[in-house]
Amino acid sequence: SHKASKPSLLPAEEKPVATDHMPDLSVFRDIDEPWCPELVTLPTGAFMMGSRPTDEEADDAEQPWHQVTIGYRFAVGRYPVTFEEYDRFCEAAQRDKPRDSGWDRGRRPVINVNWDEAKAYVAWLGKETGKDFRLLSESEWEYACRGGTVTRYSCGDSITGKDAKFLGKGR
């Protein structure tokens, strides 16, 4: 099953950008413009994807728990795509801007963007920068999100409203 994805960024080739000359975790922009997202280089590595078999709250889509190896270095958006960045695309492409649902815009992460809109954004970003971009695969996203953690969540084995806003609660 496919979960709704945030427009996380990853350049398009299997080896997304020529990061061989950069140390792991280097931060850069393809173009020095505020609408161009910061990227960070990630190393090769492996992680356990999905939920442990003993996790009684796990969804069937989170099974089986299995090791995934990312055998290539890549660069990924350092932060979620913001309204500011996405709105620039909407203006340039003459598209309707997504609703902010009362959360405000600016440097806040963009919301209310579907898969096709996210793909159009990364295609536009590629054209503007002269680089190829694509959305992350599910395993690339989880690898980047986990940042080497082995706990149930990237923030630990439990999650509360202090860690994230979910089910209308928290933050």
Side-chain angles (χ1 to χ4, degrees), residues 88-124:
R88 173 101 170 22
F89 153 68
C90 290
E91 290 164 7
Q94 299 179 346
R95 291 175 161 257
D96 291 336
K97 294 178 181 177
R99 299 177 327 281
D100 67 14
S101 297
W103 284 70
D104 208 2
R105 300 182 89 77
R107 299 297 303 160
R108 295 185 185 275
V110 70
I111 57 175
N112 297 314
V113 173
N114 68 35
W115 181 260
D116 290 328
E117 292 163 336
K119 285 181 72 171
Y121 169 73
V122 296
W124 172 83

Side-chain angles (χ1 to χ4, degrees), residues 8-22:
S8 299
L9 302 176
L10 178 71
E13 318 91 55
E14 178 152 300
K15 291 186 179 178
V17 290
T19 58
D20 292 338
H21 67 286
M22 295 182 196

Side-chain angles (χ1 to χ4, degrees), residues 31-170:
I31 293 178
D32 190 22
E33 294 288 343
W35 53 264
C36 187
E38 284 186 318
L39 302 173
V40 61
T41 57
L42 297 184
T44 62
F47 72 104
M48 294 302 292
M49 184 170 177
S51 294
R52 291 183 172 96
T54 56
D55 186 346
E56 295 178 10
E57 295 179 32
D59 186 286
D60 287 344
E62 297 171 0
Q63 298 296 331
W65 192 43
H66 60 287
Q67 182 170 311
V68 173
T69 298
I70 305 292
Y72 48 91
R73 296 179 77 228
F74 63 99
V76 62
R78 184 176 183 190
Y79 303 107
V81 176
T82 65
F83 271 105
E84 184 176 278
E85 293 161 348
Y86 193 84
D87 286 351
R88 173 101 170 22
F89 153 68
C90 290
E91 290 164 7
Q94 299 179 346
R95 291 175 161 257
D96 291 336
K97 294 178 181 177
R99 299 177 327 281
D100 67 14
S101 297
W103 284 70
D104 208 2
R105 300 182 89 77
R107 299 297 303 160
R108 295 185 185 275
V110 70
I111 57 175
N112 297 314
V113 173
N114 68 35
W115 181 260
D116 290 328
E117 292 163 336
K119 285 181 72 171
Y121 169 73
V122 296
W124 172 83
L125 184 62
K127 201 158 64 167
E128 291 296 303
T129 63
K131 306 289 183 178
D132 291 325
F133 285 85
R134 67 169 171 84
L135 299 175
L136 293 166
S137 71
E138 184 177 8
S139 56
E140 290 164 336
W141 186 90
E142 189 165 336
Y143 176 70
C145 177
R146 287 199 153 278
T149 62
V150 293
T151 52
R152 184 172 184 211
Y153 303 100
S154 61
C155 60
D157 281 322
S158 64
I159 191 167
T160 70
K162 292 179 182 178
D163 303 308
K165 182 174 177 112
F166 60 96
L167 302 175
K169 300 173 187 169

